[in-house]
mmCIF file of all heavy atoms in Angstrom:
data_model
loop_
_atom_site.group_PDB
_atom_site.id
_atom_site.type_symbol
_atom_site.label_atom_id
_atom_site.label_comp_id
_atom_site.label_asym_id
_atom_site.label_seq_id
_atom_site.Cartn_x
_atom_site.Cartn_y
_atom_site.Cartn_z
ATOM 1 N N GLN A 29 -16.308 38.877 14.823
ATOM 2 C CA GLN A 29 -16.379 40.044 15.693
ATOM 3 C C GLN A 29 -17.475 39.863 16.733
ATOM 4 O O GLN A 29 -18.522 39.268 16.462
ATOM 5 C CB GLN A 29 -16.662 41.311 14.871
ATOM 6 C CG GLN A 29 -15.561 41.683 13.911
ATOM 7 C CD GLN A 29 -14.340 42.220 14.623
ATOM 8 O OE1 GLN A 29 -14.453 42.852 15.646
ATOM 9 N NE2 GLN A 29 -13.175 41.928 14.064
ATOM 10 N N VAL A 30 -17.212 40.373 17.902
ATOM 11 C CA VAL A 30 -18.180 40.360 18.987
ATOM 12 C C VAL A 30 -18.373 41.803 19.455
ATOM 13 O O VAL A 30 -17.407 42.531 19.645
ATOM 14 C CB VAL A 30 -17.691 39.492 20.154
ATOM 15 C CG1 VAL A 30 -18.655 39.579 21.330
ATOM 16 C CG2 VAL A 30 -17.516 38.037 19.710
ATOM 17 N N GLN A 31 -19.612 42.182 19.613
ATOM 18 C CA GLN A 31 -19.913 43.506 20.141
ATOM 19 C C GLN A 31 -20.501 43.358 21.537
ATOM 20 O O GLN A 31 -21.322 42.470 21.783
ATOM 21 C CB GLN A 31 -20.914 44.250 19.249
ATOM 22 C CG GLN A 31 -20.370 44.615 17.883
ATOM 23 C CD GLN A 31 -20.400 43.435 16.913
ATOM 24 O OE1 GLN A 31 -21.375 42.706 16.825
ATOM 25 N NE2 GLN A 31 -19.320 43.254 16.144
ATOM 26 N N LEU A 32 -20.080 44.240 22.429
ATOM 27 C CA LEU A 32 -20.515 44.200 23.828
ATOM 28 C C LEU A 32 -21.037 45.568 24.246
ATOM 29 O O LEU A 32 -20.399 46.587 23.954
ATOM 30 C CB LEU A 32 -19.354 43.800 24.730
ATOM 31 C CG LEU A 32 -18.660 42.469 24.411
ATOM 32 C CD1 LEU A 32 -17.426 42.297 25.283
ATOM 33 C CD2 LEU A 32 -19.611 41.313 24.601
ATOM 34 N N VAL A 33 -22.153 45.557 24.924
ATOM 35 C CA VAL A 33 -22.734 46.815 25.415
ATOM 36 C C VAL A 33 -23.118 46.629 26.870
ATOM 37 O O VAL A 33 -23.952 45.774 27.194
ATOM 38 C CB VAL A 33 -23.965 47.232 24.596
ATOM 39 C CG1 VAL A 33 -24.558 48.516 25.170
ATOM 40 C CG2 VAL A 33 -23.599 47.425 23.129
ATOM 41 N N GLU A 34 -22.505 47.434 27.738
ATOM 42 C CA GLU A 34 -22.840 47.402 29.162
ATOM 43 C C GLU A 34 -23.938 48.411 29.476
ATOM 44 O O GLU A 34 -24.076 49.424 28.794
ATOM 45 C CB GLU A 34 -21.615 47.733 30.039
ATOM 46 C CG GLU A 34 -20.405 46.870 29.822
ATOM 47 C CD GLU A 34 -19.408 47.512 28.902
ATOM 48 O OE1 GLU A 34 -19.819 48.348 28.066
ATOM 49 O OE2 GLU A 34 -18.197 47.207 29.027
ATOM 50 N N SER A 35 -24.658 48.124 30.539
ATOM 51 C CA SER A 35 -25.661 49.052 31.046
ATOM 52 C C SER A 35 -25.875 48.774 32.519
ATOM 53 O O SER A 35 -25.413 47.754 33.044
ATOM 54 C CB SER A 35 -26.980 48.920 30.276
ATOM 55 O OG SER A 35 -27.504 47.609 30.414
ATOM 56 N N GLY A 36 -26.582 49.686 33.176
ATOM 57 C CA GLY A 36 -26.950 49.465 34.562
ATOM 58 C C GLY A 36 -26.148 50.232 35.585
ATOM 59 O O GLY A 36 -26.451 50.166 36.784
ATOM 60 N N GLY A 37 -25.139 50.958 35.134
ATOM 61 C CA GLY A 37 -24.372 51.740 36.090
ATOM 62 C C GLY A 37 -25.166 52.929 36.608
ATOM 63 O O GLY A 37 -26.260 53.228 36.135
ATOM 64 N N GLY A 38 -24.607 53.579 37.608
ATOM 65 C CA GLY A 38 -25.285 54.743 38.164
ATOM 66 C C GLY A 38 -24.695 55.146 39.492
ATOM 67 O O GLY A 38 -23.612 54.683 39.882
ATOM 68 N N LEU A 39 -25.430 55.991 40.178
ATOM 69 C CA LEU A 39 -25.027 56.497 41.491
ATOM 70 C C LEU A 39 -25.817 55.753 42.560
ATOM 71 O O LEU A 39 -27.048 55.672 42.483
ATOM 72 C CB LEU A 39 -25.298 57.996 41.571
ATOM 73 C CG LEU A 39 -25.047 58.669 42.913
ATOM 74 C CD1 LEU A 39 -23.566 58.600 43.276
ATOM 75 C CD2 LEU A 39 -25.523 60.126 42.863
ATOM 76 N N VAL A 40 -25.112 55.238 43.547
ATOM 77 C CA VAL A 40 -25.757 54.489 44.613
ATOM 78 C C VAL A 40 -25.053 54.815 45.933
ATOM 79 O O VAL A 40 -23.856 55.121 45.948
ATOM 80 C CB VAL A 40 -25.719 52.969 44.320
ATOM 81 C CG1 VAL A 40 -24.291 52.460 44.257
ATOM 82 C CG2 VAL A 40 -26.539 52.182 45.308
ATOM 83 N N GLN A 41 -25.797 54.745 46.999
ATOM 84 C CA GLN A 41 -25.197 54.986 48.304
ATOM 85 C C GLN A 41 -24.455 53.745 48.786
ATOM 86 O O GLN A 41 -24.796 52.616 48.404
ATOM 87 C CB GLN A 41 -26.269 55.375 49.312
ATOM 88 C CG GLN A 41 -26.804 56.791 49.135
ATOM 89 C CD GLN A 41 -27.663 57.212 50.307
ATOM 90 O OE1 GLN A 41 -28.361 56.404 50.900
ATOM 91 N NE2 GLN A 41 -27.624 58.495 50.635
ATOM 92 N N ALA A 42 -23.482 53.978 49.624
ATOM 93 C CA ALA A 42 -22.754 52.862 50.214
ATOM 94 C C ALA A 42 -23.730 51.917 50.912
ATOM 95 O O ALA A 42 -24.669 52.364 51.589
ATOM 96 C CB ALA A 42 -21.716 53.376 51.200
ATOM 97 N N GLY A 43 -23.504 50.619 50.731
ATOM 98 C CA GLY A 43 -24.403 49.617 51.263
ATOM 99 C C GLY A 43 -25.487 49.192 50.294
ATOM 100 O O GLY A 43 -26.173 48.188 50.526
ATOM 101 N N GLY A 44 -25.628 49.930 49.221
ATOM 102 C CA GLY A 44 -26.653 49.618 48.232
ATOM 103 C C GLY A 44 -26.199 48.574 47.236
ATOM 104 O O GLY A 44 -25.101 48.001 47.350
ATOM 105 N N SER A 45 -27.058 48.337 46.246
ATOM 106 C CA SER A 45 -26.807 47.300 45.240
ATOM 107 C C SER A 45 -27.032 47.851 43.848
ATOM 108 O O SER A 45 -27.807 48.802 43.649
ATOM 109 C CB SER A 45 -27.742 46.097 45.456
ATOM 110 O OG SER A 45 -27.527 45.496 46.717
ATOM 111 N N LEU A 46 -26.360 47.239 42.904
ATOM 112 C CA LEU A 46 -26.563 47.522 41.482
ATOM 113 C C LEU A 46 -26.388 46.231 40.713
ATOM 114 O O LEU A 46 -25.618 45.358 41.133
ATOM 115 C CB LEU A 46 -25.551 48.541 40.962
ATOM 116 C CG LEU A 46 -25.809 50.033 41.128
ATOM 117 C CD1 LEU A 46 -24.630 50.823 40.597
ATOM 118 C CD2 LEU A 46 -27.097 50.472 40.473
ATOM 119 N N ARG A 47 -27.084 46.130 39.600
ATOM 120 C CA ARG A 47 -26.859 45.018 38.695
ATOM 121 C C ARG A 47 -26.485 45.569 37.337
ATOM 122 O O ARG A 47 -27.260 46.306 36.715
ATOM 123 C CB ARG A 47 -28.097 44.123 38.564
ATOM 124 C CG ARG A 47 -27.783 42.835 37.800
ATOM 125 C CD ARG A 47 -28.947 41.894 37.714
ATOM 126 N NE ARG A 47 -29.819 42.207 36.584
ATOM 127 C CZ ARG A 47 -30.532 41.305 35.921
ATOM 128 N NH1 ARG A 47 -30.448 40.023 36.257
ATOM 129 N NH2 ARG A 47 -31.320 41.667 34.938
ATOM 130 N N LEU A 48 -25.306 45.202 36.892
ATOM 131 C CA LEU A 48 -24.837 45.592 35.574
ATOM 132 C C LEU A 48 -25.169 44.500 34.575
ATOM 133 O O LEU A 48 -25.137 43.311 34.906
ATOM 134 C CB LEU A 48 -23.333 45.839 35.582
ATOM 135 C CG LEU A 48 -22.794 46.818 36.622
ATOM 136 C CD1 LEU A 48 -21.295 47.015 36.432
ATOM 137 C CD2 LEU A 48 -23.526 48.129 36.575
ATOM 138 N N SER A 49 -25.463 44.925 33.371
ATOM 139 C CA SER A 49 -25.750 43.985 32.293
ATOM 140 C C SER A 49 -24.741 44.180 31.172
ATOM 141 O O SER A 49 -24.235 45.283 30.957
ATOM 142 C CB SER A 49 -27.155 44.216 31.744
ATOM 143 O OG SER A 49 -28.141 44.017 32.728
ATOM 144 N N CYS A 50 -24.499 43.112 30.469
ATOM 145 C CA CYS A 50 -23.635 43.159 29.287
ATOM 146 C C CYS A 50 -24.305 42.329 28.202
ATOM 147 O O CYS A 50 -24.462 41.115 28.359
ATOM 148 C CB CYS A 50 -22.246 42.617 29.597
ATOM 149 S SG CYS A 50 -21.139 42.544 28.168
ATOM 150 N N ASP A 51 -24.697 43.007 27.145
ATOM 151 C CA ASP A 51 -25.339 42.333 26.021
ATOM 152 C C ASP A 51 -24.316 42.080 24.925
ATOM 153 O O ASP A 51 -23.624 43.010 24.487
ATOM 154 C CB ASP A 51 -26.484 43.187 25.479
ATOM 155 C CG ASP A 51 -27.613 43.320 26.480
ATOM 156 O OD1 ASP A 51 -27.969 42.308 27.094
ATOM 157 O OD2 ASP A 51 -28.115 44.445 26.655
ATOM 158 N N ALA A 52 -24.244 40.832 24.497
ATOM 159 C CA ALA A 52 -23.295 40.450 23.459
ATOM 160 C C ALA A 52 -24.027 40.203 22.151
ATOM 161 O O ALA A 52 -25.141 39.672 22.142
ATOM 162 C CB ALA A 52 -22.533 39.198 23.875
ATOM 163 N N SER A 53 -23.375 40.571 21.053
ATOM 164 C CA SER A 53 -23.934 40.312 19.731
ATOM 165 C C SER A 53 -22.784 40.004 18.777
ATOM 166 O O SER A 53 -21.617 40.140 19.122
ATOM 167 C CB SER A 53 -24.759 41.503 19.244
ATOM 168 O OG SER A 53 -23.961 42.663 19.166
ATOM 169 N N GLY A 54 -23.150 39.604 17.583
ATOM 170 C CA GLY A 54 -22.134 39.213 16.617
ATOM 171 C C GLY A 54 -21.837 37.733 16.730
ATOM 172 O O GLY A 54 -22.737 36.922 16.928
ATOM 173 N N ARG A 55 -20.557 37.395 16.652
ATOM 174 C CA ARG A 55 -20.138 35.996 16.697
ATOM 175 C C ARG A 55 -20.072 35.484 18.134
ATOM 176 O O ARG A 55 -19.017 35.113 18.641
ATOM 177 C CB ARG A 55 -18.798 35.821 16.002
ATOM 178 C CG ARG A 55 -18.851 35.943 14.485
ATOM 179 C CD ARG A 55 -17.547 35.444 13.876
ATOM 180 N NE ARG A 55 -17.349 34.026 14.179
ATOM 181 C CZ ARG A 55 -16.174 33.417 14.139
ATOM 182 N NH1 ARG A 55 -15.076 34.111 13.831
ATOM 183 N NH2 ARG A 55 -16.067 32.130 14.414
ATOM 184 N N THR A 56 -21.210 35.438 18.780
ATOM 185 C CA THR A 56 -21.233 35.020 20.186
ATOM 186 C C THR A 56 -20.841 33.559 20.347
ATOM 187 O O THR A 56 -20.418 33.153 21.438
ATOM 188 C CB THR A 56 -22.604 35.277 20.806
ATOM 189 O OG1 THR A 56 -23.586 34.582 20.038
ATOM 190 C CG2 THR A 56 -22.935 36.763 20.826
ATOM 191 N N SER A 57 -20.986 32.773 19.301
ATOM 192 C CA SER A 57 -20.608 31.357 19.385
ATOM 193 C C SER A 57 -19.106 31.183 19.613
ATOM 194 O O SER A 57 -18.660 30.114 20.043
ATOM 195 C CB SER A 57 -21.017 30.622 18.107
ATOM 196 O OG SER A 57 -20.359 31.172 16.986
ATOM 197 N N SER A 58 -18.336 32.227 19.341
ATOM 198 C CA SER A 58 -16.887 32.139 19.522
ATOM 199 C C SER A 58 -16.438 32.503 20.941
ATOM 200 O O SER A 58 -15.273 32.333 21.289
ATOM 201 C CB SER A 58 -16.179 33.080 18.536
ATOM 202 O OG SER A 58 -16.485 34.434 18.817
ATOM 203 N N ILE A 59 -17.367 32.965 21.758
ATOM 204 C CA ILE A 59 -17.014 33.380 23.115
ATOM 205 C C ILE A 59 -16.755 32.157 23.992
ATOM 206 O O ILE A 59 -17.539 31.219 24.009
ATOM 207 C CB ILE A 59 -18.134 34.237 23.734
ATOM 208 C CG1 ILE A 59 -18.325 35.521 22.931
ATOM 209 C CG2 ILE A 59 -17.796 34.561 25.194
ATOM 210 C CD1 ILE A 59 -19.516 36.342 23.398
ATOM 211 N N GLU A 60 -15.676 32.212 24.730
ATOM 212 C CA GLU A 60 -15.367 31.172 25.703
ATOM 213 C C GLU A 60 -15.617 31.674 27.133
ATOM 214 O O GLU A 60 -16.164 30.955 27.948
ATOM 215 C CB GLU A 60 -13.910 30.729 25.555
ATOM 216 C CG GLU A 60 -13.606 29.985 24.284
ATOM 217 C CD GLU A 60 -14.302 28.623 24.237
ATOM 218 O OE1 GLU A 60 -14.450 27.990 25.292
ATOM 219 O OE2 GLU A 60 -14.698 28.194 23.132
ATOM 220 N N VAL A 61 -15.197 32.879 27.395
ATOM 221 C CA VAL A 61 -15.331 33.445 28.739
ATOM 222 C C VAL A 61 -15.726 34.908 28.625
ATOM 223 O O VAL A 61 -15.225 35.635 27.758
ATOM 224 C CB VAL A 61 -14.006 33.333 29.525
ATOM 225 C CG1 VAL A 61 -14.055 34.130 30.821
ATOM 226 C CG2 VAL A 61 -13.674 31.876 29.809
ATOM 227 N N MET A 62 -16.613 35.314 29.503
ATOM 228 C CA MET A 62 -16.939 36.728 29.644
ATOM 229 C C MET A 62 -16.368 37.201 30.978
ATOM 230 O O MET A 62 -16.593 36.584 32.018
ATOM 231 C CB MET A 62 -18.445 36.938 29.624
ATOM 232 C CG MET A 62 -19.074 36.660 28.278
ATOM 233 S SD MET A 62 -18.624 37.888 27.048
ATOM 234 C CE MET A 62 -19.477 39.321 27.700
ATOM 235 N N GLY A 63 -15.649 38.285 30.917
ATOM 236 C CA GLY A 63 -15.064 38.823 32.135
ATOM 237 C C GLY A 63 -15.616 40.195 32.455
ATOM 238 O O GLY A 63 -16.110 40.911 31.580
ATOM 239 N N TRP A 64 -15.570 40.531 33.724
ATOM 240 C CA TRP A 64 -15.873 41.888 34.176
ATOM 241 C C TRP A 64 -14.595 42.483 34.763
ATOM 242 O O TRP A 64 -13.914 41.843 35.574
ATOM 243 C CB TRP A 64 -16.968 41.887 35.242
ATOM 244 C CG TRP A 64 -18.354 41.682 34.719
ATOM 245 C CD1 TRP A 64 -19.064 40.513 34.686
ATOM 246 C CD2 TRP A 64 -19.212 42.685 34.166
ATOM 247 N NE1 TRP A 64 -20.299 40.727 34.136
ATOM 248 C CE2 TRP A 64 -20.428 42.048 33.808
ATOM 249 C CE3 TRP A 64 -19.080 44.053 33.924
ATOM 250 C CZ2 TRP A 64 -21.492 42.739 33.238
ATOM 251 C CZ3 TRP A 64 -20.142 44.742 33.355
ATOM 252 C CH2 TRP A 64 -21.325 44.084 33.018
ATOM 253 N N PHE A 65 -14.309 43.692 34.362
ATOM 254 C CA PHE A 65 -13.165 44.434 34.876
ATOM 255 C C PHE A 65 -13.652 45.800 35.344
ATOM 256 O O PHE A 65 -14.738 46.241 34.961
ATOM 257 C CB PHE A 65 -12.105 44.636 33.778
ATOM 258 C CG PHE A 65 -11.364 43.382 33.409
ATOM 259 C CD1 PHE A 65 -11.941 42.430 32.588
ATOM 260 C CD2 PHE A 65 -10.079 43.164 33.870
ATOM 261 C CE1 PHE A 65 -11.262 41.272 32.232
ATOM 262 C CE2 PHE A 65 -9.382 42.013 33.525
ATOM 263 C CZ PHE A 65 -9.982 41.074 32.705
#
């Protein structure tokens, strides 16, 4: 099993920037690809 937790979202004005994070735990050795949707 792999657990994923995103963070970093919020409200921003057009033209601004944000950085989202995704922390993985569990059987991370089994991960081949991480995707963002």
